[in-house]
Amino acid sequence: MRWAADAVSALREGARVRLDYSAQSLWRVDRLIEEIRREGAPYAALETTLRGLGAYAGEVVVRQTGAEWWTSGGEHWIRTPDGRLWDPVDEARRCFAGDGSLRLLCRDATGGVRH
């Protein structure tokens, strides 16, 4: 997904954060969102960034499980091979609100998939 690639590029260039589409990289993403939240940045200023970070987490799950992106009415989800739907973009928003974790979403989404 293009949003994920844009987020990876922006973080590499702007914040010097390298993301490699691994589940471990989502620790860094969660911490980054937490730091931004603590700095008091307004949500409106970060909406596009959060969408990109959520898409990045979704791509991590897609690459690890063979999930597919689903889109409807402007919303984006991933569907894992076991049929479950996940909303990583909303999870990024929840992280910013202090009530979510992209790392845990990935863990839960990949936990039921046989490799």
Side-chain angles (χ1 to χ4, degrees):
M1 174 173 263
R2 179 73 188 163
W3 295 340
D6 289 346
V8 168
S9 178
L11 286 174
R12 183 178 55 242
E13 293 171 16
R16 302 281 190 242
V17 174
R18 290 210 174 271
L19 300 176
D20 61 3
Y21 293 95
S22 69
Q24 295 79 13
S25 70
L26 294 175
W27 283 89
R28 285 182 293 239
V29 175
D30 277 349
R31 284 194 309 264
L32 178 64
I33 293 172
E34 174 66 20
E35 288 172 20
I36 293 169
R37 184 175 66 80
R38 275 191 254 163
E39 290 173 2
Y43 173 80
L46 296 169
E47 190 170 358
T48 301
T49 300
L50 292 171
R51 182 184 67 194
L53 294 174
Y56 172 76
E59 270 302 301
V60 170
V61 174
V62 164
R63 291 175 184 206
Q64 289 197 6
T65 66
E68 296 178 319
W69 281 99
W70 286 54
T71 304
S72 176
E75 297 294 319
H76 299 81
W77 304 279
I78 51 172
R79 183 174 184 186
T80 49
D82 59 10
R84 295 181 295 167
L85 290 174
W86 304 87
D87 189 343
V89 174
D90 186 57
E91 191 68 17
R93 294 179 192 124
R94 291 181 62 228
C95 287
F96 183 71
D99 187 37
S101 170
L102 295 171
R103 176 185 59 83
L104 294 178
L105 176 134
C106 181
R107 183 198 68 190
D108 293 347
T110 60
V113 177
R114 303 265 188 256
H115 298 286

